Amino acid sequence: MKFDVLVVGAGLAGAALAAALRGSRLKLGIVETRAPVRPAGWDPRIYAISAANVDFLSSIGIWQHLDTTRIAPIYDMEIHGDAGGRLDFSAYDCGLRELAWIVESSLMQIELWETIKRQHNVTLISPAEPTALSMGADSASLTLADGRRLEARLIVAADGRDSWVRQAAGIGARNTPYDEKGVVANFRCARPHRDTAFQWFRNDGVLAYLPLPDQHMSMVWSAPDALADELVGLSPEALCTRVAEAGDFRLGELELVTPAAAFPLRLMRVDSVVQPRLALIGDAAHAIHPLSGHGINLGYQDAQVLAGLLAGLDPWRDPGELPVLRAYARARAEETALLQYTTHGLNRLFKPTHPLLSGIRNLGLNLTNNLPVVRNALVRYAIAGRF
């Protein structure tokens, strides 16, 4: 089977790329190990989607088809330091409709999957597992476990931060472990959150409450490994008490609706996001600390930029040639580096191993909070930017 573009991985970024190319002349193939499944109840994997990416998802026909009873806006945000510092953001004060939207991963995943299934220029190859990759002058070849051989002028690796394609292509990745895990769980709250997100920089990590509909909230606690393991091992009642106490009972008593789960956190930078016949997008291209909530937004912007370049090519241009792919790499380099180093720096700044910085970092929060022009400019930059 021959394709113009072969996407390996139909996760959020990979499926979004395919959906964004629905009107192009390109013939697409998508290799995926299994179709997405909607979990019972609330999905523990929750994302904060920026305004720029709401616009992108709307343009490819995804956003307007999501179940509105399962998504929640963020109108306000409270950020608390570990020694009295505080910073408040308000969409109203900044003249915005909302700061972001909170959406379950599986909700977006299934809508994207159903969308690309209906595309006339897409062939879904699933279930399938790649076993060999070879690069030629005019095309790349992917061999599957069942013996099928797929050829494409361009292969896009969208198969996650442990990308098989990236490793098979010999692209190195430098990992900086944070010795932390992200602990996630969903709760029903005794008090209304009023579409407000909360974040606490604590001595034992960064705790966030993200609003969900019907007086629910999603908790993300970036905690040292030992504490993360302890949290996951608590009984539902003990976990509710621990999380409520850590959040100063801001939303009152909590009731667990999704069991806690944890995943290791690390910064990942790759040697290159492109080489002839290959491009990396999403988590295959970068990994950042989740305290900013922008990981998925970077992936969506990867998909949008690459789709725009590929769709705009003249018919005689080869989508896998290096000058085309370098244009994509250049377009994505600044934003990716900015967020990687910003989140990495914030993580280091607020680590409890730096007690002498406590006064400085909390003073910074309070100073920014008392300068509305600066504070609102930060919000507008994040909202109007591509992440």
Side-chain angles (χ1 to χ4, degrees), residues 27-262:
K27 181 181 179 182
L28 308 177
I30 299 182
V31 176
E32 176 55 50
T33 56
R34 59 185 177 277
V37 177
R38 186 83 171 103
W42 289 98
D43 188 343
R45 194 84 173 186
I46 303 289
Y47 291 114
I49 307 300
S50 69
N53 283 305
V54 169
D55 291 341
F56 170 53
L57 292 174
S58 297
S59 72
I60 61 176
I62 302 301
W63 188 260
Q64 51 270 49
H65 293 132
L66 298 180
D67 183 352
T68 57
T69 67
R70 306 288 293 195
I71 62 179
I74 297 178
Y75 292 131
D76 300 282
M77 185 170 186
E78 295 180 11
I79 300 175
H80 299 267
D82 57 346
R86 176 164 173 168
L87 182 58
D88 298 288
F89 294 118
S90 166
Y92 178 81
D93 289 346
C94 299
L96 302 169
R97 292 173 302 175
E98 62 279 320
L99 299 177
W101 288 88
I102 302 301
V103 190
E104 297 163 277
S105 176
S106 60
L107 194 68
M108 295 183 290
Q109 183 72 71
I110 289 175
E111 183 58 41
L112 281 163
W113 182 264
E114 293 301 319
T115 296
I116 60 178
K117 278 172 60 177
R118 296 190 294 267
Q119 282 185 224
H120 73 280
N121 65 333
V122 168
T123 299
L124 279 175
I125 305 161
S126 178
E129 181 181 351
T131 56
L133 174 68
S134 63
M135 298 293 186
D138 300 318
S139 66
S141 175
L142 189 73
T143 302
L144 304 180
D146 61 7
R148 284 179 292 176
R149 187 169 176 271
L150 312 176
E151 290 187 17
R153 293 192 290 170
L154 170 64
I155 289 184
V156 177
D159 51 342
R161 62 181 62 190
D162 296 318
S163 169
W164 177 91
V165 174
R166 186 186 67 229
Q167 295 176 53
I171 297 178
R174 301 179 306 283
N175 290 283
T176 303
Y178 286 112
D179 299 322
E180 296 175 347
K181 293 186 176 74
V183 182
V184 297
N186 297 326
F187 300 85
R188 181 166 179 79
C189 314
R191 298 176 186 168
H193 50 60
R194 304 188 190 283
D195 297 315
T196 299
F198 305 89
Q199 191 170 48
W200 292 268
F201 287 91
R202 297 168 44 86
N203 289 329
D204 54 7
V206 182
L207 172 67
Y209 289 180
L210 303 175
L212 289 172
D214 193 27
Q215 213 158 304
H216 287 73
M217 73 86 173
S218 174
M219 181 272 301
V220 183
W221 194 334
S222 302
D225 287 337
L227 174 59
D229 294 340
E230 178 187 346
L231 292 171
V232 172
L234 292 175
S235 68
E237 296 78 13
L239 179 65
C240 289
T241 300
R242 188 74 168 270
V243 173
E245 288 176 345
D248 299 323
F249 289 95
R250 191 65 175 78
L251 299 179
E253 301 291 339
L254 302 177
E255 176 188 349
L256 187 66
V257 297
T258 304

Side-chain angles (χ1 to χ4, degrees), residues 82 178-180 202-205 224 347-358 361:
D82 57 346
Y178 286 112
D179 299 322
E180 296 175 347
R202 297 168 44 86
N203 289 329
D204 54 7
N347 174 264
R348 291 295 184 248
L349 177 63
F350 280 91
K351 268 190 175 297
T353 52
H354 298 290
L356 295 179
L357 295 177
S358 179
R361 62 201 182 206

